[in-house]
Amino acid sequence: MSKDNAVTVKNVYKNYGETEALSDMSLDFPRGELTSLLGPSGCGKTTLLKIIAGLLPATSGEVIVNGQIVKEPGPDRAFVFQDFALLPWASVIRNVAFGLELRGVVKSERESIAQKYIGDVGLKGFENSFPHELSGGMRQRVGLARALSVDAQVLLMDEPFSAVDEQTRRKFQEDLLNLVKNENKTFIFVTHSIEEAVYVSDQIALLLPRPSRVSEIIRPTSFKNKDVDSIRRDSEYLDIVDRIWKSLRTYVK
Amino acid sequence: MKHRPLFLKIISAVILFGAWEIGGRSGVSFAFPPFSESMVAFWSLIIEGTMFKAYAETLKPLVVGIIISGLLGITLGIWIGLSDKFDWFISPIFIVMQAAPLAALIPLLIMAYGIGLTSKVFVVCIMAMPVIVLNTSAAVKNTPTNIKEMAKAFQGKDIDVIFKIILPASSPIIFAGLRLGVSAGFIGAILAELKITPTGVGDIISYSRSIADYPSMYAAIFSIILLAVLFLNILEKMENFLFKGNNQGYVSE
Ligand SMILES: Nc1ncnc2c1ncn2[C@@H]1O[C@H](COP(=O)(O)OP(=O)(O)OP(=O)(O)O)[C@@H](O)[C@H]1O
Ligand SMILES: [Mg+2]
């Protein structure tokens, strides 16, 4: 296997005091592909993402991003937070541009970039609203736009579509497929929806309950080149959804 | 909407002064003159220029003390909030300071610093600083971790985290502490003039009491309250100017 991996997780353990969250977790994330992490609630998906982001230290083991061991956050990675993490006192446009603001991009430039992504996530007209004036799904899209606007090579997305409505969610899934296809970026995508994972992923990692490890890696192949509209009717798509459900069902008592 | 608070303020002032007037007229005590008599005395103190001369004295320790308490108090509070070691080291001083009976400390201050401006500034600071320090440090410590983490994920430097996350997030509570501190500082300034050397407004109070000119005494007290209210309003304007948007309400997600 000479495949180029953007991110490699090697024998990572993570304990929170007595709690073992990750135990000997190893996983490769091929460059330019989307990998989904699918696993029961509390199994350590957010923990793994934060370790890759450099926000949390691993208890042992290492994470390599673009050939370098991760010690701290870097401009090569952007994070979409499960709890959105918006600044309540800042307008939508300042929130979206905040990553660029921290990188020292001048105001006019960062706001024009932010403007584009605000449009992309469907929040045009809300530039000057404040987070408390938005619905949960709209807030989530602000966090999404903020991560997209810094143009990082690796996107760490922690349940990025969990709060948006089904129509928007489907549109975002299609947008995501196009992003993966057109830009050579690596996506690490946490979701609780099996269908969503199978629909958008090049690779799906099924995680065991805590302490978490990878139990199975599934790589859908045949429907990847199909038209987005026919994926959901593809027989391999349906088979994989079924197979994942059978395998995850054992954890749900 | 904008006019309702002002309207309510006027109503509560009318009720307060009305009660004062009725209380004074009903003759609770000859040492408690009605509001109208106090206002007449207030006016004549202004016409004679006594009031202005008095405030030229009283404002010196008050303004110096409040500026010191504000700047030093907020700086220390931030430091305490950021560093556990510093917290352990410094916080007890302010907790003791807040609990200490000031009247008992004044003889010590006079012994150490004499009866001049220095001692009076100290009294103002002892009154004003603890609540500013303790509020600031509590606010800094309680800054939500998710937005601090977000700033780090987008490569915010420590200085960015302090100025763009911690300070705006803490500003409502810091300003609440400042308001309490300023009110306490006013009390401290008068106390210093009553207990150390009778100058300024403290002199009007003790002199008019000694000659049983109670309306003038109440006029002096009234003037302090008036000034304090004015000062607090200015502080509120400053807060709105410095941190506009922070009163936009908080969202929990
Ligand atoms: N700061 C922390 N301190 C102590 N324990 C923690 C901390 N953060 C997470 N944990 C524990 O680690 C485990 C994994 O948490 P994590 O947030 O990574 O789960 P998750 O897979 O993202 O769950 P979900 O799907 O519900 O978001 C949980 O059991 C949680 O209780
Ligand atoms: Mg999570």
Side-chain angles (χ1 to χ4, degrees), chain A residues 227-245:
Chain A
D227 170 37
V228 286
D229 293 321
S230 50
I231 292 179
R232 284 193 173 85
R233 273 175 277 124
D234 184 273
S235 68
E236 192 198 358
Y237 167 86
L238 294 168
D239 285 347
I240 293 176
V241 169
D242 212 42
R243 187 170 134 208
I244 294 176
W245 169 234

Side-chain angles (χ1 to χ4, degrees), chain B residues 128-183:
Chain B
M129 208 144 79
V131 68
I132 296 175
V133 172
L134 297 176
N135 263 42
T136 304
S137 65
V140 167
K141 270 185 222 160
N142 287 325
T143 308
T145 36
N146 69 338
I147 50 178
K148 283 191 278 188
E149 213 165 45
M150 180 276 291
K152 286 194 196 116
F154 289 99
Q155 291 91 60
K157 297 178 211 60
D158 287 349
I159 196 97
D160 293 322
V161 176
I162 293 175
F163 282 98
K164 298 191 171 187
I165 307 287
I166 293 177
L167 273 186
S170 317
S171 71
I173 296 176
I174 293 179
F175 271 91
L178 266 181
R179 279 193 287 274
L180 293 172
V182 165
S183 313

Side-chain angles (χ1 to χ4, degrees), chain A residues 13 23 26 40 96 130 135 164 171 178 204 238:
Chain A
Y13 288 75
S23 170
S26 293
V96 172
F130 286 86
S135 72
V164 299
K171 179 186 173 293
N178 288 326
I204 303 158
L238 294 168

